[in-house]
Amino acid sequence: MYRPVSFFIGLRYTGAKRRNHFISFISLVSMIGLTLGVAVLILVLSVMNGFDRELRQRILGMVPHATLSQYQGDLENWQSLIQDTLEPMASVEGAAPYIHAQGMLTARGEVRGTLVNGIDPQWEPQVSIIQEHMPAGRLENLKPGEFGIILGDILARSLGARLGDKVTLVLPEASISVAGVFPRLKRFTVVGVFKVGAELDASMAYIHIEDAARIKRMGTAVEGVRLKFDNLFNAPYQVRDIARQLGPNYRSSDWTRTHGNLFQAIQLEKKMIGLLLFIIVAVAAFNIVSTLVMVVTDKRSDIAILRTMGASSKTIMRTFMIQGGFIGVVGTLAGTALGVLLALTVTDLVAAIERLFNIQFLSAEVYFISYLPSQLRLEDVVLICGSSLLISLLATLYPAYRAAQTRPAEALRYE
């Protein structure tokens, strides 16, 4: 005699090979539906995690976590501010001076709007990842007085500019001369190109901070100080505390004002898409209900015989719960394996499709990154598997209960 009986019979009923092949087909469909639902949920959440990671590492690696500046006038004593006040703070990982200028770059008859950042190559690596993403040139090529410029990859290609080429920066500030009013112009030499695979490649350029100060006639002052904190999400609170400690003339800004909406949109999309796909998993799991109801109807005589042989209501109930649970476990495990495999390879698969058909699904000029990222998280896989198994188990309760309530006399009356 097989032990336990409910386990043996439940697995045997899963196939339903003796009389009704349609029931085994419905079981297979339920299993496949659950597999696809779990796999798609793992894949989509991994892609959303990838977008979240790229936003933090690439975009927020190029733009400052926070900035400090003054309400009135430029910042004169920025060296002492960094060395004496900011660097001793445990939460501050780096600080660097900056000067911003918005204008247009022209070259070869092309004109592009850009945000020009005046930076100090010695301080900038503390707050930016730019030197890690420069396929051409180096950050050290920015030298004071030589008026060199580092362009984003897309910006350089749109201007047709390469290393050593000249580009002209046009600032909206007017210069008055005897010949009339002219916009302020300055020619720069391209000394580097950076590429982070994001929208910043099309809209940002870097020059030496002394050259920026000379163009904007600021002398030795800077506009403010860029900060990098050990915890990205604590940056808004910490920079406000620092500004209050420095005095009423200091003001602060942080990444939530520049890219916070994008980050919140990704988080909201992740939750909503996860909820919708979870509903799909629930629908696939509740197909187990229809499968078990059909099995119970088909096996009424067998249930009656088991009852007359001494099987208890709990044994019958466990039998059909095991059958439904088997479908749920196999479907969930298969879906998990498929989802994990796709999540780990989707970036390479999409890149291969783009190369094969010469297309691009994500353009950095439209989206904030130019490729499909993916980041598989163990906690997401555990949550999805646990939820799928729980729903599958709950779906077996009603059919199993109905099977346990079968009366042998009524079931065998017409047999």
Side-chain angles (χ1 to χ4, degrees):
M1 188 67 180
Y2 291 97
R3 301 281 184 175
V5 176
S6 56
F7 183 79
F8 169 71
I9 299 176
L11 295 182
R12 185 177 179 86
Y13 279 176
T14 303
K17 296 180 179 179
R18 287 190 303 170
R19 290 182 300 176
N20 198 337
H21 292 282
F22 180 71
I23 295 178
S24 61
F25 173 75
I26 296 298
S27 299
L28 180 62
V29 170
S30 301
M31 195 178 298
I32 293 176
L34 192 59
T35 298
L36 294 178
V38 171
V40 171
L41 185 54
I42 291 176
L43 173 61
V44 172
L45 289 185
S46 297
V47 171
M48 298 305 295
N49 291 335
F51 276 106
D52 178 74
R53 178 197 62 197
E54 295 304 309
L55 173 63
R56 298 188 193 184
Q57 294 183 353
R58 291 182 177 267
I59 295 184
L60 296 180
M62 294 290 290
V63 302
H65 290 181
T67 61
L68 281 173
S69 58
Q70 291 184 338
Y71 282 105
Q72 296 179 353
D74 300 318
L75 193 60
E76 296 282 353
N77 59 338
W78 61 269
Q79 294 95 338
S80 61
L81 174 64
I82 293 177
Q83 296 174 354
D84 300 336
T85 304
L86 299 177
E87 287 185 346
M89 294 183 177
S91 60
V92 177
E93 290 190 345
Y98 73 88
I99 295 177
H100 286 165
Q102 291 185 341
M104 296 183 296
L105 286 174
T106 66
R108 302 178 185 273
E110 299 292 337
V111 180
R112 294 291 183 273
T114 184
L115 174 64
V116 180
N117 291 316
I119 62 172
D120 190 321
Q122 296 182 350
W123 295 85
E124 189 65 16
Q126 300 183 33
V127 298
S128 174
I129 61 172
I130 180 175
Q131 65 176 358
E132 303 170 10
H133 298 275
M134 291 188 61
R138 300 178 59 187
L139 193 62
E140 292 78 10
N141 293 343
L142 293 178
K143 297 179 180 179
E146 296 185 1
F147 292 96
I149 189 170
I150 297 176
L151 303 177
D153 176 67
I154 298 176
L155 180 60
R157 286 190 283 109
S158 62
L159 293 173
R162 300 179 180 178
L163 290 183
D165 290 349
K166 299 290 185 178
V167 296
T168 302
L169 174 63
V170 182
L171 297 179
E173 301 177 10
S175 298
I176 302 176
S177 66
V178 294
V181 179
F182 294 95
R184 190 174 301 174
L185 305 175
K186 185 61 185 178
R187 287 181 65 80
F188 285 83
T189 303
V190 178
V191 297
V193 175
F194 72 86
K195 182 179 181 181
V196 293
E199 60 180 353
L200 302 178
D201 294 345
S203 61
M204 188 173 290
Y206 291 90
I207 62 177
H208 197 280
I209 194 168
E210 292 186 16
D211 296 339
R214 188 174 304 176
I215 293 174
K216 299 191 71 174
R217 300 171 183 172
M218 296 175 59
T220 59
V222 299
E223 290 186 1
V225 174
R226 301 172 59 181
L227 298 175
K228 181 180 180 181
F229 290 92
D230 56 354
N231 190 320
L232 174 68
F233 298 101
N234 290 337
Y237 313 104
Q238 292 172 339
V239 72
R240 285 198 292 267
D241 291 339
I242 294 174
R244 282 195 295 267
Q245 294 175 13
L246 293 175
N249 192 35
Y250 283 85
R251 62 180 176 180
S252 64
S253 180
D254 58 82
W255 67 272
T256 60
R257 300 185 182 181
T258 57
H259 293 82
N261 291 337
L262 180 59
F263 181 81
Q264 293 174 0
I266 293 176
Q267 294 297 313
L268 179 60
E269 289 176 2
K270 178 182 177 181
K271 293 178 182 178
M272 295 305 299
I273 292 177
L275 177 61
L276 293 176
L277 293 177
F278 183 75
I279 293 175
I280 295 177
V281 173
V283 171
F286 276 101
N287 284 335
I288 298 174
V289 176
S290 60
T291 301
L292 292 184
V293 169
M294 295 179 65
V295 173
V296 170
T297 303
D298 184 64
K299 302 295 184 181
R300 289 193 64 190
S301 59
D302 292 1
I303 296 172
I305 292 173
L306 289 173
R307 292 298 304 274
T308 57
M309 293 177 64
S312 63
S313 298
K314 293 182 178 180
T315 300
I316 300 299
M317 192 169 181
R318 282 197 301 267
T319 298
F320 288 94
M321 289 182 66
I322 288 172
Q323 180 184 355
F326 176 79
I327 297 174
V329 169
V330 173
T332 300
L333 293 180
T336 300
L338 179 61
V340 169
L341 178 63
L342 290 175
L344 294 175
T345 59
V346 65
T347 302
D348 295 331
L349 288 175
V350 172
I353 293 174
E354 290 179 340
R355 291 192 299 267
L356 181 63
F357 295 99
N358 195 25
I359 59 177
Q360 187 174 15
F361 294 110
L362 298 176
S363 173
E365 298 181 4
V366 179
Y367 304 96
F368 72 91
I369 60 174
S370 58
Y371 64 99
L372 190 68
S374 177
Q375 182 183 21
L376 185 65
R377 293 180 179 174
L378 179 61
E379 56 268 27
D380 288 340
V381 176
V382 172
L383 177 62
I384 293 169
C385 290
S387 301
S388 177
L389 292 175
L390 178 61
I391 293 176
S392 301
L393 180 62
L394 294 176
T396 65
L397 294 179
Y398 175 73
Y401 175 77
R402 290 295 302 272
Q405 299 303 310
T406 300
R407 297 181 179 181
E410 295 181 1
L412 296 175
R413 178 178 300 173
Y414 301 106
E415 293 293 330

